[in-house]
Amino acid sequence: MTKFLAAAILACSTLASAPALAHGGAAPKHGGVVQTASDLSFELVAGEGAAMLYVEDHGKPMVPTGMSGKLTVLNGTEKSEAPLVVSGDKLEARGVTIAKGAKVVAAINTADQKAITVRFTVR
């Protein structure tokens, strides 16, 4: 009985130390930073004077038809904002620069007017 109890304790401690993974995966596919909100994954990718936001639903790319919003970027003490608009298979914000260490907030409205807020820290 004590061997069984020891094995059960060992199994529980191993599970408790395993990393937690969100369903749908959180690996970047476009070289950006991934966060999950409202069962969707959002990948923020910095470009020259622009930012792209790719959307996935349970690991499958999703065209953000009907989505819109605003991207707010905090680079140290500098704050910039730009509208998020659909651009092909992603949302895009022009006129923003995202540096390493920046904090970014995407305030998104879905096609059915559901509000989603996604926060990123760029590394």
Side-chain angles (χ1 to χ4, degrees):
M1 181 68 167
T2 58
K3 286 182 182 180
F4 175 76
L5 185 57
I9 291 171
L10 180 62
C12 288
S13 66
T14 303
L15 289 174
S17 65
L21 299 174
H23 67 281
K29 295 183 180 172
H30 304 280
V33 180
V34 178
Q35 289 293 341
T36 303
S38 296
D39 286 333
L40 297 174
S41 293
F42 297 89
E43 181 176 358
L44 175 69
V45 179
E48 283 191 41
M52 284 67 65
L53 199 59
Y54 294 90
V55 185
E56 286 190 355
D57 185 2
H58 296 91
K60 296 180 183 173
M62 179 180 149
V63 177
T65 304
M67 289 185 171
S68 63
K70 178 174 72 170
L71 194 73
T72 303
V73 180
L74 300 171
N75 284 316
T77 59
E78 295 180 26
K79 177 181 175 181
S80 58
E81 295 180 335
L84 281 167
V85 295
V86 176
S87 176
D89 63 343
K90 63 191 169 297
L91 291 166
E92 188 170 356
R94 296 198 174 271
V96 295
T97 301
I98 300 175
K100 287 189 177 186
K103 307 282 187 197
V104 181
V105 177
I108 302 165
N109 292 313
T110 64
D112 60 352
Q113 297 305 307
K114 179 180 177 186
I116 301 173
T117 302
V118 190
R119 291 173 172 76
F120 301 89
T121 299
V122 180
R123 301 184 199 282

